[in-house]
Amino acid sequence: MRVRRALGVAVVVPVLAVTAVACSGGGDEGGGAAKKEDNRGRQSGGSGGGGAEEGGDGAGSGVPPLDEKQLNEALLKTGDVKGYRAQRNKEDALEGQGSIESEDPRCSPITDVVDSQPEREREAFASGVLMKGSLSTGGAVQQVLLSSYGDGGAVKWFGDLKKALSECGSFAGKIGTGERTQLRIKRVGSVGVGDDSVRFTMEDVKGKDSPTVFTIVRTGGNTASFMSVSLSDEPQAVAKSLVKKQHEKLTEAAGD
């Protein structure tokens, strides 16, 4: 299946969203905390850039980094947005084979979006799959990853990410399975939601699969990363209604 290749090889996301949807037993369960395993000799830190607002963990909305329980509660569920079903991923959603390392250090913030071992350590995360319609009717499969960062990490990573998107039109990387891949990146603007946002497409340079669209939104010290894989040949971004609702739920979770 074409979308399986886009998920498992060309984009190297930590979870095969198609499998999660097709094999879903229902229920919103799972989640977990991801700690950095610094076994690749990569350094945390770095300065913000590329236009991200500098500040503390709650810069902008005032939402502090959320813990694992709060992120799981904030994760979109079936019925939150009309027409969409949600499946919460299991605890191993960011398993080791989901790692990807850019051969150009400038581009590492881009691979951090889907990397199970990011340079900027996640304090906690929760992830799930969103689907409208069925695999047979086309559309797109959306994967969402909620992450929290301490020490101003969300703001700094957003700065690093914007800078990387301006410098990395394409780059080579090696995934956790040892396979080498060449990726093409195109920034397509923001979405006007949250304290900061950015949207870009990623595809293998051979163009065998439709581009995957990434939409990243920051809510204080937390981020919501949406990955949308089209079931046709055309890229399809996540619906703004989903992005807005997820931002609202992250904001509300801070008060629980």
Side-chain angles (χ1 to χ4, degrees), residues 42-96:
R42 288 160 53 168
Q43 299 281 327
S44 291
S47 58
E53 177 185 358
E54 292 295 340
D57 291 336
S61 64
V63 178
L66 303 178
D67 60 25
E68 177 185 336
K69 180 180 178 181
Q70 290 170 314
L71 290 178
N72 274 299
E73 290 175 348
L75 196 63
L76 288 169
K77 297 177 175 62
T78 299
D80 281 343
V81 177
K82 186 177 180 180
Y84 285 90
R85 305 189 311 280
Q87 167 67 26
R88 192 180 298 265
N89 282 329
K90 296 181 179 180
E91 193 167 344
D92 62 352
L94 289 174
E95 57 190 15

Side-chain angles (χ1 to χ4, degrees), residues 73-184:
E73 290 175 348
L75 196 63
L76 288 169
K77 297 177 175 62
T78 299
D80 281 343
V81 177
K82 186 177 180 180
Y84 285 90
R85 305 189 311 280
Q87 167 67 26
R88 192 180 298 265
N89 282 329
K90 296 181 179 180
E91 193 167 344
D92 62 352
L94 289 174
E95 57 190 15
Q97 69 179 19
S99 65
I100 175 171
E101 183 176 2
S102 168
E103 295 181 5
D104 185 340
R106 298 176 306 162
C107 308
S108 292
I110 299 175
T111 60
D112 269 8
V113 176
V114 296
D115 201 340
S116 62
Q117 299 174 1
E119 288 194 5
R120 290 203 178 276
E121 181 181 357
R122 302 179 182 101
E123 287 201 333
F125 72 85
S127 63
V129 177
L130 306 166
M131 186 72 186
K132 186 175 185 179
S134 66
L135 295 179
S136 62
T137 59
V141 177
Q142 282 91 27
Q143 175 89 13
V144 59
L145 172 66
L146 305 184
S147 305
S148 63
Y149 301 82
D151 301 323
V155 173
K156 294 173 184 176
W157 176 59
F158 239 91
D160 293 344
L161 176 59
K162 287 184 173 182
K163 187 172 187 292
L165 289 172
S166 69
E167 296 177 346
C168 301
S170 66
F171 61 90
K174 185 166 64 175
I175 64 178
T177 58
E179 182 177 355
R180 189 174 182 273
T181 186
Q182 187 78 24
L183 300 172
R184 180 184 294 116

Side-chain angles (χ1 to χ4, degrees), residues 35 48 105 209 240:
K35 293 300 180 182
D209 305 286
K240 191 170 183 178

Side-chain angles (χ1 to χ4, degrees), residues 196-214:
D196 207 348
S197 65
V198 68
R199 177 171 283 168
F200 64 94
T201 62
M202 179 188 290
E203 65 179 331
D204 64 316
V205 296
K206 295 180 181 179
K208 293 183 178 180
D209 305 286
S210 59
T212 299
V213 185
F214 289 89

